Amino acid sequence: MTPEDSTTPSNFIREAITEDNRTGRFGGRVHTRWPPEPNGYLHIGHAKAMWIDFGMALEFGGKCNLRFDDTNPVKEDVEYVESIKEDIHWLGFDWEDREFYASDYFDQLYEFAVKLIKKGKAYVDDLSAEEIRQYRGTLTASGKESPYRNRSVEENLALFEQMKAGEFPNGARVLRAKIDMASGNMNMRDPVMYRILHEPPHHRTGDKWYIYPMYDFAHGQCDSIEGITHSLCSLEYEDHRPLYDWFLDELEIYHPRQIEFARLNLTYTVMSKRKLLRLVKEGHVRGWDDPRMPTLAGLRRRGYTPESIQSFVERAGVAKVASIADIQLLEHCLREELNKRAPRVMAVLRPLRMVIDNYPEGQVEEMDAVNNPEDPSAGTRKVPFSKVLYIEQEDFREDPPKQFFRLAPGREVRLRYAYFVKCVSVVKNERGEVVELHCTYDPATRGGDAPDGRKVKATLHWVSAAHALEAEARLYDYLFTRPDPDEAEDFTSVVNSNSLEVRTDCKLEPSLASAKVGDRFQFERQGYFCVDPDSTNGKLVFNRSVGLKDTWAKIEKKG
């Protein structure tokens, strides 16, 4: 799916590219890039950025490069590079043969820096990081020039060469652009271009470099080298655009156009890599691919499809103003997708034993069950029915309240695809809890209808005890107890301690024996579930992707 497929009105990025093509600004070319940092796992916010960068290129018949911003070896790892590539392909995008790294251009970037020094537009500064912050000033007060700002070109060239050679320790010196310490834009107050980093070795260049460019310096120049036409960035880079333009103009090189859009934020979620890392390290989740995490790895493990995520980011839209999307819209998009394609099966998550007293001992019948009512081509399957079944505990009440129409003593209900049954007695344990139901069935109601026309008010799902598969189900809720966890003084204080319920004694119909990791199903009356990688030959593990109740559809209908 690309932005062209959208049924929503045109957005400002599409309009800007269309205008550039009309005026011939880039000779009719559209060439974007997507520049992830290989320092963590991608999350759903990155999916929006991907959809814009790759999608706009596809729509206009252009190209999109994958360029890793690997300018900080302290935080980077090959593991993240591989996971990012996997996520991009999973979402359906392809960079073809255009996989690049900022580190591909380290030599060229160094030469660009030397050029700025020679022009008197960059200098080596000995101030510490803290002193640079102090000299920078505030939003209401101008900054103060460094005492090292007016070093000669020759001295700066010599010092920068020594920095490159590793002759100074970390933090001893930086290279700064010489712009304007009184600028109203803090980013223009002599920003740092290079810093010294001796360790760790870079994941691609090893120990070759002891200095690394800052993103603000690398960003535009990499765009220029690759011939990018439209550098699409998140909104926080809007204030950085004058710096992006300044570097390109001072270097007198090809000049792409930077356009900013608002990030994707989501209720009941945090998107900051720092905060996500804290959730992992402090044990609030089981890892980066925990199904409660907004990472693409986590969403994939939970059972989200690429189509549902792309549908969500499309509906969330492209805006210039920051906003928060409702997580219920994301859930709605998944339900909408899985409703069309997920096979229906019967699974009992909290089993209650039912014995049909008048059903022949040892008899097994095969009932025809519909695989997907939304897709007639999916056909039917056979489900075994026998004397002893399991139903859901919540489908029985010994003393039913008003409006409870499911099974109760003396009451008749329909068993899905099977017969009418009536509860005649219950068995309790020493704590007084009902542990077994005894029922009778009406043989004339096979298939679910009574020849005499009598009606029942409830249909229950069930599983034959003799044929049931043992399984574990992991039932997920929102990871946070409030929709805006970022607003809490400490976001971990609003982590939902009940965000995961594990049911270890679930009973599943035998057709699921061949289910594979990643397969998705609708457990009838329960929700949509996905087979987890923790599954073994002896026991399947399922993650609940989303429940059947669709709050968003109701909101949309009211709207």
Side-chain angles (χ1 to χ4, degrees), residues 267-270 275 480 482-488 490-491 494:
T267 56
Y268 294 97
T269 308
V270 294
K275 291 181 178 180
F480 296 97
R482 56 184 282 182
D484 54 350
D486 282 319
E487 299 302 313
D490 176 3
F491 78 102
V494 293

Side-chain angles (χ1 to χ4, degrees), residues 530-542:
C530 180
V531 183
D532 188 82
D534 287 345
S535 298
T536 65
N537 290 333
K539 192 167 188 178
L540 288 167
V541 177
F542 284 86

Side-chain angles (χ1 to χ4, degrees), residues 15-29:
E15 291 167 358
I17 296 175
T18 300
E19 178 62 16
D20 285 344
N21 284 350
R22 186 188 68 79
T23 61
R25 179 171 179 174
F26 298 107
R29 289 189 311 115

Side-chain angles (χ1 to χ4, degrees), residues 60 97 143 147 242 314 344 459:
F60 287 96
D97 60 347
E314 179 183 355
R344 275 54 168 173
T459 299

Side-chain angles (χ1 to χ4, degrees), residues 69-73 76 102-103 106 195 197 202 212-215 218:
D69 170 34
D70 57 343
T71 55
N72 185 2
E76 294 158 5
S103 56
F106 278 177
R195 76 284 204 198
L197 284 174
H202 190 276
Y212 291 93
M214 303 298 289
Y215 181 74

Side-chain angles (χ1 to χ4, degrees), residues 29-277:
R29 289 189 311 115
V30 175
H31 197 158
T32 62
R33 86 289 173 268
W34 194 61
E37 298 174 75
N39 62 359
Y41 288 84
L42 300 184
H43 56 61
I44 194 165
H46 295 113
K48 174 182 177 179
M50 258 189 270
W51 177 73
I52 292 173
D53 280 308
F54 282 96
M56 285 296 168
L58 283 169
E59 177 177 338
F60 287 96
K63 300 175 181 178
C64 182
N65 295 355
L66 170 62
R67 184 205 310 141
F68 288 98
D69 170 34
D70 57 343
T71 55
N72 185 2
V74 173
K75 296 182 178 180
E76 294 158 5
D77 197 290
V78 175
E79 173 193 351
Y80 298 132
V81 171
E82 295 307 316
S83 73
I84 287 169
K85 291 196 286 188
E86 180 185 358
D87 285 343
I88 296 171
H89 276 146
W90 179 67
L91 280 180
F93 299 116
D94 187 20
W95 56 91
E96 298 173 324
D97 60 347
R98 296 179 303 280
E99 179 181 325
F100 302 115
Y101 297 77
S103 56
D104 292 337
Y105 313 120
F106 278 177
D107 289 292
Q108 181 66 66
L109 292 171
Y110 178 81
E111 292 304 322
F112 283 151
V114 168
K115 181 175 180 178
L116 291 176
I117 293 172
K118 288 180 177 178
K119 288 183 68 175
K121 297 295 184 179
Y123 63 96
V124 173
D125 194 359
D126 296 5
L127 292 179
S128 68
E130 180 57 35
E131 288 171 329
I132 289 174
R133 277 191 289 272
Q134 291 172 0
Y135 275 56
R136 199 174 179 212
T138 66
L139 290 171
T140 56
S142 295
K144 186 168 64 171
E145 292 186 359
S146 166
Y148 307 99
R149 193 174 195 263
N150 295 313
R151 278 175 162 150
S152 68
V153 168
E154 292 72 24
E155 185 180 5
N156 282 317
L157 287 172
L159 288 170
F160 192 46
E161 177 62 32
Q162 288 177 282
M163 287 172 61
K164 180 190 177 190
E167 295 180 17
F168 305 124
N170 289 355
R173 289 182 166 89
V174 294
L175 182 71
R176 298 176 68 178
K178 187 188 285 189
I179 307 178
D180 181 5
M181 289 303 292
S183 173
N185 185 334
M186 299 284 282
N187 297 295
M188 302 296 282
R189 295 184 185 177
D190 291 12
V192 174
M193 295 166 56
Y194 272 87
R195 76 284 204 198
I196 301 170
L197 284 174
H198 285 261
E199 294 288 342
H202 190 276
H203 73 104
R204 296 185 75 240
T205 61
D207 294 323
K208 177 180 177 180
W209 292 92
Y210 299 103
I211 55 171
Y212 291 93
M214 303 298 289
Y215 181 74
D216 272 336
F217 181 62
H219 174 200
Q221 284 56 258
C222 291
D223 286 347
S224 180
I225 293 167
E226 292 178 9
I228 300 305
T229 58
H230 300 87
S231 183
L232 309 178
C233 308
S234 49
L235 199 57
E236 67 265 31
Y237 289 102
E238 184 173 34
D239 289 341
H240 295 245
R241 192 185 339 134
L243 181 57
Y244 180 95
D245 293 336
W246 185 89
F247 280 129
L248 293 167
D249 290 341
E250 289 295 336
L251 289 167
E252 303 171 275
I253 57 178
Y254 166 77
H255 196 142
R257 179 183 182 184
Q258 179 175 303
I259 304 174
E260 306 85 18
F261 58 87
R263 280 176 179 260
L264 174 64
N265 295 302
L266 196 61
T267 56
Y268 294 97
T269 308
V270 294
M271 297 288 198
S272 157
K273 282 184 185 176
R274 177 180 56 82
K275 291 181 178 180
L276 294 175
L277 179 61

Side-chain angles (χ1 to χ4, degrees), residues 336-348:
E336 192 174 62
E337 170 68 19
L338 293 184
N339 184 50
K340 300 173 196 170
R341 57 188 277 192
R344 275 54 168 173
V345 295
M346 291 192 287
V348 176

Side-chain angles (χ1 to χ4, degrees), residues 339-342 344 369-381:
N339 184 50
K340 300 173 196 170
R341 57 188 277 192
R344 275 54 168 173
V370 175
N371 286 328
N372 188 341
E374 302 295 321
D375 179 12
S377 68
T380 61
R381 68 191 185 282

